[in-house]
Amino acid sequence: MHKSIQDLLPQVGAWANRDVSNNTGIQRANVWAPDVLRRSSDGRFVTYYSAAAGNTTTNHCIGAAVSTNYSPAGPYRSLPDSIAFPTNVGGAIDPTAFIDSDGAIYVAYNVDGNNHGNGGICGNCVAPIMPSPILLQRMEGDGVTPRGPAVQILDRVSEDGPLVEAPQLVRSAEGVYFLFFSSGCTRAPSYDVKYATAMKITGPSTRAESELLRTGDWDLQAPGSVGVRWDHVAE
């Protein structure tokens, strides 16, 4: 077990908020939602994270860091530049890494549009409702350099409420791509888990007819932000 002084990410990227709280000595970057992959090029690990951008106290953006050793426990050294920095539309959060069957690396994340909403539940139930699309970014083999522009693979619809977020990608043995995501409001019983399928990683996606998990299932309350991995075990 790691202690708090064994910080896996001692320093956020230069793009993030590096101000330090006088009370705690901790950076105000408010880092959350990390994900990790092991890159095949050199065996090192890459972690993707959300952090408050240096020019704002509310918008998060996506950064990456590479392990200084060959352990997923790090520590990690941050890249100076952000992978996604859309502060003009609310920022970006919840990165998730995915390695396709051909070895291509992708990072999915969602634009935090409700962060620029006009009020109501989760800040985005008063018209005009802001979009909160899930985007897919192809990466170079190093896992930290974007390759081309990000593409949209899903966005909220009215039944989702104020947002969609927390994407997770997995490919089945039959070649079907499953995109798991949460909708509703993070701080309310409406928070749930849904999924959509596609035959190409870039879509188009077909939504399932009903939620995968919602409040009341197995006595759960506001289930969401799931982690999914394909175990490659044939049944």
Side-chain angles (χ1 to χ4, degrees):
M1 179 179 294
H2 283 274
K3 298 179 181 178
S4 60
I5 60 173
Q6 296 172 295
D7 192 344
L8 307 188
L9 188 68
Q11 186 86 307
V12 293
W15 55 271
N17 191 336
R18 292 190 173 196
D19 292 342
V20 175
S21 167
N22 293 330
N23 295 328
T24 65
I26 298 173
Q27 291 177 344
R28 300 178 188 270
N30 196 15
V31 176
W32 70 46
D35 198 24
V36 176
L37 68 75
R38 182 180 183 272
R39 63 185 184 188
S40 59
S41 59
D42 61 1
R44 293 185 186 273
F45 290 84
V46 180
T47 186
Y48 306 94
Y49 62 93
S50 305
N55 63 348
T56 179
T57 57
T58 58
N59 290 339
H60 274 58
C61 293
I62 306 297
V66 179
S67 63
T68 60
N69 51 32
Y70 297 94
S71 168
Y76 291 82
R77 181 177 294 115
S78 284
L79 277 296
D81 298 323
S82 172
I83 289 175
F85 201 81
T87 55
N88 60 317
V89 289
I93 59 172
D94 296 346
T96 182
F98 176 75
I99 302 177
D100 207 351
S101 56
D102 61 358
I105 299 173
Y106 294 88
V107 176
Y109 61 90
N110 67 278
V111 173
D112 200 15
N114 61 296
N115 196 35
H116 277 193
N118 295 292
I121 188 170
C122 270
N124 198 30
C125 284
V126 175
I129 307 300
M130 299 293 108
S132 63
I134 293 175
L135 302 185
L136 184 70
Q137 175 65 63
R138 174 79 182 268
M139 307 297 291
E140 298 289 355
D142 61 6
V144 298
T145 304
R147 178 176 174 178
V151 297
Q152 180 175 310
I153 55 175
L154 196 82
D155 197 1
R156 60 166 297 282
V157 295
S158 59
E159 291 80 7
D160 293 324
L163 57 84
V164 291
E165 64 181 15
Q168 287 282 309
L169 277 166
V170 66
R171 182 180 185 271
S172 74
E174 295 77 21
V176 179
Y177 294 92
F178 286 78
L179 171 64
F180 297 88
F181 60 95
S182 289
S183 71
C185 182
T186 315
R187 299 176 292 278
S190 61
Y191 204 50
D192 60 18
V193 178
K194 296 176 178 177
Y195 72 95
T197 58
M199 297 308 300
K200 296 196 306 181
I201 191 169
T202 53
S205 298
T206 301
R207 285 170 171 254
E209 294 182 357
S210 61
E211 302 94 334
L212 181 64
L213 288 172
R214 60 184 177 183
T215 292
D217 293 343
W218 294 284
D219 294 325
L220 295 172
Q221 179 74 10
S225 300
V226 298
V228 179
R229 290 293 184 271
W230 176 253
D231 64 8
H232 300 284
V233 177
E235 296 182 356

